[in-house]
Amino acid sequence: MKRSWKLVVLTLFVLIFVCGGWSVSVPGEQKRVNLSSSFVQNTLQDGCDWPSFSRTPDNNRVAPDGCGPKTDNLIKVWKFKAGGWIGSSPVVSGNMLYFGSDDFRVYCLNARTGRRIWEFQTGSYVMSTPTIFQNRVYVGSHDNKLYCLDAQNGNKIWESEVKGYIMSSPIISYSRIYVGSSNNRLYCFDLNNGAKIWEFQTGFLGSINSSPAIFDGKIYAGSYDKKLYCLDAKTGSKIWQYETGGWIESSPAISDGYVYFGSFDSRLYCLNAQTGQKIWDYMTGDEICSSPAVHSGKVYIGCKDSKLYCIDAKTGTGLWEYETKKDIKASPSLINNKIYIGSEDGIFYCIDAISGKKRWECEIGLVDYSATISGGYIYVGSFYDKELYCFGDLSLAPPKGTCCDNCTDCNKCMAFKVGSKDWFICNQLQTPMNTAPIIKNGRTFLVIRYIAETIGANVDWNATSQTVTITDPKNGKTIQLQINNNIATIGGKKVQIDQNTDVKPFISEGRTLLPLRFVVDSLGLDLDWLDQTKEAIICYKDPMCP
């Protein structure tokens, strides 16, 4: 990758001020939502949304029950290759996913399929995790700007410039947005137009790379001047500060009147959120870049000593620890007593939150960023591989014992399921169908365009005669079927579609549905019908292959 000398110098500067390199800290979520913020009520339109780095402004990093996979049998549903190293954690709002990259871009993908919807180019690296609020995307960049984009199309609505690069992820309360910067300042901007309302300056070399937390009208932020600050969210005036023995990159989490955060002095701290008085600290084996997750009286946090820790939230007593093979800089994400977290050993883990035992793992490459849980899926990026992964239940994929087990560059498969709009090509989820396959008169019908276009066939619709014409790509042979007619034409010859004369093409929800078996056989494709699960597996040769 070619870079100018200015970018090289900037890169070296960033490496000095980041935990061991390219790592971004992230916050969390908690069960109760008694927040002095309109963020939760207005942003979490879908109860499974994860619209900011830590999901809610108190940074507890917990997804509601039912928002993750149902089992530990997970598969890669899809992966997306970015143009550069993935620079942030993904966030999800509705059916759209957003993340930043070091190719100077903010990406928006379809969260179900991984299909790119839009991208927005900034002037430098995007290592700030976006925040989604009221159909807008707020994200910082290394070009010293905070951007507000239209969430649907990526068009810029406004930008605000600061005097340092932004790695901190913005957080929102009422009509204000807060974000930290490398120029030793925490900023408060007007949410609607980006006008600066106030700024707070930390100490010397007090870069704020972590993401602030908001609770009860107060904003909490850690700094590289080794201090955690509590400010009045309305005025920016300092309420209290607490000094540790090392840089603070960990994003604070607020729970039950306490604030939890890690420090480069190898300690996890618990302070009184009102006064800043230390309640306890817990000594680990190395620097802490990870941000804590707090749930059910326990604090979970990763460490550069390669361990994930579970600590009693009230007493600071260590309950268990799980050791990986390399540093953990990512932050844990929780759901249903499961912890999802990646390590620099290249493994993405699911750890039991009660016992500390491993439940599942998958090798995806170095993981410095945190996972997002939303809509039954887990999303996480692999840094150097430049790939964003979506994991889901194994039940989503085509069953074993079919040609889907042995897909090659040329030999492929499609999988459809009656009643589901989801369909797969070689275990990769595609854009959902407009109309799900159904069974009528004992036969399976579906919108045949999905099959035909996949194998390179052409489909024409004549509205006047209500006739569908499919042209076979191999030999140019045509197949014609007419709505409510049980006689079809193949290569100019009339044939009966099925022994059951009630099996005829029909229109449902404005879409033309054709009998699956008849069309597949006419095109010379192999069809496996799994009666128990009502799934159709179609084996075919890629039309690009000789």
Side-chain angles (χ1 to χ4, degrees):
M1 180 186 301
K2 294 184 178 179
R3 301 193 187 276
S4 67
W5 281 109
K6 289 183 179 180
L7 286 178
V8 173
V9 172
L10 175 60
T11 300
L12 292 174
F13 180 76
V14 172
L15 290 175
I16 294 174
F17 284 92
V18 187
C19 178
W22 298 89
S23 75
V24 178
S25 297
V26 240
E29 200 266 315
Q30 82 181 59
K31 266 192 171 180
R32 61 177 185 173
V33 291
N34 182 25
L35 306 179
S36 61
S37 165
S38 63
F39 183 97
V40 172
Q41 292 81 0
N42 293 333
T43 302
L44 300 179
Q45 297 172 1
D46 182 331
C48 287
D49 278 357
W50 191 297
S52 65
F53 177 61
S54 296
R55 190 172 181 268
T56 55
D58 52 3
N59 285 352
N60 275 227
R61 304 195 58 80
V62 181
D65 293 351
C67 290
K70 297 178 181 179
T71 70
D72 293 335
N73 296 317
L74 303 185
I75 60 165
K76 295 175 185 176
V77 179
W78 56 258
K79 63 180 179 180
F80 175 84
K81 187 85 169 182
W85 296 336
I86 293 178
S88 80
S89 299
V91 295
V92 177
S93 180
N95 200 35
M96 301 174 81
L97 177 147
Y98 308 84
F99 70 97
S101 171
D102 94 322
D103 63 357
F104 301 6
R105 285 171 170 79
V106 180
Y107 288 92
C108 172
L109 311 180
N110 183 301
R112 294 288 305 281
T113 67
R115 179 179 60 85
R116 177 165 45 193
I117 298 174
W118 56 257
E119 59 185 61
F120 174 83
Q121 184 167 353
T122 71
S124 189
Y125 316 127
V126 181
M127 305 183 78
S128 164
T129 296
T131 293
I132 317 302
F133 184 72
Q134 295 182 341
N135 207 35
R136 292 185 176 186
V137 180
Y138 299 89
V139 64
S141 170
H142 269 55
D143 62 7
N144 301 356
K145 292 179 181 178
L146 177 69
Y147 291 92
C148 173
L149 311 176
D150 187 294
Q152 296 298 315
N153 55 35
N155 291 338
K156 184 175 69 177
I157 297 173
W158 57 255
E159 65 180 49
S160 291
E161 189 164 1
V162 301
K163 295 181 180 179
Y165 60 81
I166 298 176
M167 293 184 69
S168 172
S169 299
I171 205 72
I172 293 169
S173 178
Y174 292 102
S175 58
R176 297 183 177 191
I177 184 166
Y178 305 85
V179 70
S181 172
S182 67
N183 69 335
N184 311 345
R185 285 168 171 80
L186 180 70
Y187 289 92
C188 172
F189 296 101
D190 186 282
L191 193 65
N192 297 310
N193 56 29
K196 185 175 72 174
I197 297 174
W198 57 255
E199 65 180 65
F200 174 83
Q201 185 170 358
T202 64
F204 180 66
L205 295 180
S207 175
I208 299 177
N209 288 350
S210 69
S211 302
I214 297 177
F215 188 78
D216 195 27
K218 302 178 183 65
I219 185 164
Y220 301 82
S223 168
Y224 274 30
D225 67 1
K226 306 179 183 180
K227 296 175 182 176
L228 184 84
Y229 291 92
C230 174
L231 311 178
D232 185 290
K234 185 175 181 180
T235 65
S237 59
K238 182 172 67 176
I239 298 174
W240 56 258
Q241 67 183 41
Y242 182 86
E243 186 167 1
T244 71
W247 293 347
I248 301 174
E249 187 175 297
S250 175
S251 298
I254 317 297
S255 180
D256 293 328
Y258 301 100
V259 54
Y260 303 89
F261 64 98
S263 170
F264 275 39
D265 65 6
S266 306
R267 285 178 166 83
L268 171 67
Y269 288 89
C270 170
L271 310 181
N272 183 301
Q274 295 295 324
T275 66
Q277 177 185 4
K278 186 177 77 170
I279 306 301
W280 54 258
D281 65 53
Y282 183 89
M283 189 71 178
T284 65
D286 208 333
E287 299 169 344
I288 298 177
C289 307
S290 174
S291 301
V294 187
H295 185 59
S296 298
K298 300 180 181 65
V299 185
Y300 305 90
I301 197 164
C303 181
K304 287 182 69 179
D305 64 4
S306 308
K307 294 179 181 179
L308 172 69
Y309 290 90
C310 173
I311 299 160
D312 187 283
K314 289 187 177 180
T315 66
T317 303
L319 301 177
W320 57 255
E321 55 189 57
Y322 180 86
E323 188 167 4
T324 66
K325 297 176 182 178
K326 287 189 177 180
D327 300 1
I328 299 179
K329 298 178 184 177
S331 303
S333 302
L334 273 76
I335 186 170
N336 297 339
N337 288 322
K338 300 177 185 179
I339 303 169
Y340 292 94
I341 193 166
S343 166
E344 292 204 338
D345 62 9
I347 306 296
F348 183 51
Y349 295 91
C350 176
I351 306 298
D352 189 284
I354 304 301
S355 66
K357 304 296 184 182
K358 182 176 66 177
R359 301 179 65 145
W360 172 87
E361 68 174 35
C362 182
E363 185 172 355
I364 63 172
L366 184 148
V367 180
D368 267 356
Y369 301 103
S370 303
T372 294
I373 306 168
S374 180
Y377 300 93
I378 308 293
Y379 304 93
V380 66
S382 176
F383 185 59
Y384 292 122
D385 291 345
K386 307 177 184 179
E387 290 182 325
L388 186 77
Y389 291 92
C390 170
F391 291 94
D393 286 308
L394 178 63
S395 59
L396 292 169
K400 297 293 183 181
T402 70
C403 59
C404 292
D405 295 343
N406 301 301
C407 280
T408 65
D409 289 341
C410 289
N411 297 313
K412 298 184 178 298
C413 83
M414 288 175 270
F416 301 87
K417 187 171 185 176
V418 171
S420 175
K421 294 182 180 181
D422 291 338
W423 67 292
F424 293 79
I425 295 179
C426 289
N427 299 325
Q428 294 296 305
L429 186 66
Q430 304 300 300
T431 300
M433 307 170 72
N434 292 309
T435 302
I438 67 170
I439 293 178
K440 183 178 180 180
N441 295 318
R443 299 292 183 266
T444 302
F445 290 76
L446 53 66
V447 179
I448 215 68
R449 186 177 298 275
Y450 297 99
I451 297 174
E453 293 183 350
T454 300
I455 66 171
N458 183 59
V459 180
D460 288 322
W461 165 251
N462 187 314
T464 303
S465 63
Q466 292 197 307
T467 300
V468 177
T469 301
I470 306 168
T471 304
D472 192 319
K474 298 188 294 293
N475 52 29
K477 181 174 64 177
T478 60
I479 304 164
Q480 289 186 323
L481 300 98
Q482 188 177 42
I483 299 299
N484 293 323
N485 191 340
N486 70 339
I487 301 298
T489 301
I490 301 178
K493 295 182 179 180
K494 294 185 180 300
V495 297
Q496 187 168 304
I497 291 175
D498 194 278
Q499 290 181 344
N500 182 348
T501 56
D502 290 329
V503 176
K504 308 170 186 177
F506 64 95
I507 295 177
S508 176
E509 300 178 353
R511 306 286 173 176
T512 300
L513 278 72
L514 303 183
L516 172 64
R517 170 71 69 177
F518 176 80
V519 175
V520 166
D521 287 348
S522 300
L523 290 170
L525 304 176
D526 292 326
L527 171 65
D528 287 335
W529 172 253
L530 309 178
D531 192 59
Q532 185 175 0
T533 57
K534 299 295 185 282
E535 291 177 86
I537 310 296
I538 300 170
C539 311
Y540 69 99
K541 189 171 185 178
D542 192 299
M544 300 302 293
C545 292

